[in-house]
């Protein structure tokens, strides 16, 4: 806000410059949209295969299940070799962490699926299905690991392998969405 007596700053551009700039941009625009002196040409281009990139918060949520389920797998392997009960406890806690963060990623994927366009519904449904399968098998794995440590082998190890593979697949599918300027 300026006082009444203060000099106002001048942001005026000479008229010749604005006419030249306007002419330049109009010629570029006409060439881009297919305008000619004879008439107009209207073209609509759609790219149904391109998915929008992941929201940054969704990407963060998607980053956690894989290392947590991988840690559970490695601690199951360590328990299978040493029969030290603490490895089974580590595995149970890592699975619980993967389920907690994975649940938020599944919910976010469901919202993306429901809000996504018809062109993207198939890929989003597959991504959601893989995430949901990861979470359900991780939950079954948590129930198996809730038993006595001696009773968790070998099915706990097998479930950890499958859950980890599904976590890798879900992360791969989520992070391989198209980026601006690239088609999928």
């Amino acid at each position: 806000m300026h006082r009444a007596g203060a000099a106002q700053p001048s942001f005026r551009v000479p008229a010749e410059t604005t006419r030249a700039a306007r002419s330049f941009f109009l010629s570029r625009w006409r060439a881009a949209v297919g305008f000619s002196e004879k008439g107009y040409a209207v073209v609509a281009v759609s790219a149904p295969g391109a998915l929008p990139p992941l929201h940054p918060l969704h990407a963060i949520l998607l980053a956690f299940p894989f290392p947590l389920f991988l840690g559970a797998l490695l601690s199951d392997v360590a328990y299978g070799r040493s029969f030290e009960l603490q490895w089974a406890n580590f595995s149970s806690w890592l699975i619980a962490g993967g389920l907690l963060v994975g649940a938020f990623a599944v919910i976010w994927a469901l919202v993306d699926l429901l809000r996504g366009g018809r062109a993207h519904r198939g890929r989003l449904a597959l991504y959601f299905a893989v995430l949901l399968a990861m979470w359900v098998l991780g939950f079954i794995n948590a129930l198996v690991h809730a038993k006595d440590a001696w009773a968790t082998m070998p099915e706990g190890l097998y479930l950890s392998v499958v859950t980890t593979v599904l976590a890798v697949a879900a992360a791969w599918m989520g992070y391989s969405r198209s980026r601006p300027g690239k088609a999928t």
Side-chain angles (χ1 to χ4, degrees), residues 60-106:
I60 290 170
L61 292 173
L62 189 58
F64 280 94
F66 168 61
L68 291 171
F69 286 133
L70 178 63
L73 172 63
L74 294 176
S75 62
D76 278 345
V77 169
Y79 174 73
R81 290 184 176 204
S82 68
F83 295 107
E84 181 66 39
L85 293 177
Q86 193 60 34
W87 289 113
N89 293 337
F90 289 156
S91 185
S92 295
W93 281 104
L94 289 166
I95 291 168
L99 287 175
L100 176 70
V101 180
F104 290 112
V106 168

Side-chain angles (χ1 to χ4, degrees), residues 161-182:
V161 168
V162 173
T163 305
T164 303
V165 168
L166 286 172
V168 168
W172 187 284
M173 291 172 67
Y175 291 128
S176 68
R177 285 184 172 186
S178 71
R179 289 164 193 91
K182 292 187 178 182

Side-chain angles (χ1 to χ4, degrees), residues 28-39:
R28 293 291 183 178
W29 177 79
R30 286 177 180 151
V33 298
F35 176 79
S36 68
E37 296 299 323
K38 297 177 183 175

Side-chain angles (χ1 to χ4, degrees), residues 41-181:
V42 178
V43 178
V45 179
S46 175
L51 282 170
L54 279 178
H55 187 277
L57 187 57
H58 187 178
I60 290 170
L61 292 173
L62 189 58
F64 280 94
F66 168 61
L68 291 171
F69 286 133
L70 178 63
L73 172 63
L74 294 176
S75 62
D76 278 345
V77 169
Y79 174 73
R81 290 184 176 204
S82 68
F83 295 107
E84 181 66 39
L85 293 177
Q86 193 60 34
W87 289 113
N89 293 337
F90 289 156
S91 185
S92 295
W93 281 104
L94 289 166
I95 291 168
L99 287 175
L100 176 70
V101 180
F104 290 112
V106 168
I107 291 169
W108 200 301
L110 177 63
V111 170
D112 275 352
L113 176 64
L114 295 176
R115 292 182 65 201
R118 297 184 84 171
H120 310 304
R121 193 150 319 246
R123 291 180 62 192
L124 291 174
L126 180 62
Y127 170 62
F128 173 72
V130 170
L131 263 178
L132 186 64
M134 175 202 73
W135 195 89
V136 169
L137 287 176
F139 184 73
I140 294 170
N141 196 10
L143 294 177
V144 167
H145 279 81
K147 297 189 290 187
D148 184 34
W150 291 93
T152 62
M153 289 296 156
E155 63 187 6
L157 179 64
Y158 298 148
L159 282 170
S160 291
V161 168
V162 173
T163 305
T164 303
V165 168
L166 286 172
V168 168
W172 187 284
M173 291 172 67
Y175 291 128
S176 68
R177 285 184 172 186
S178 71
R179 289 164 193 91

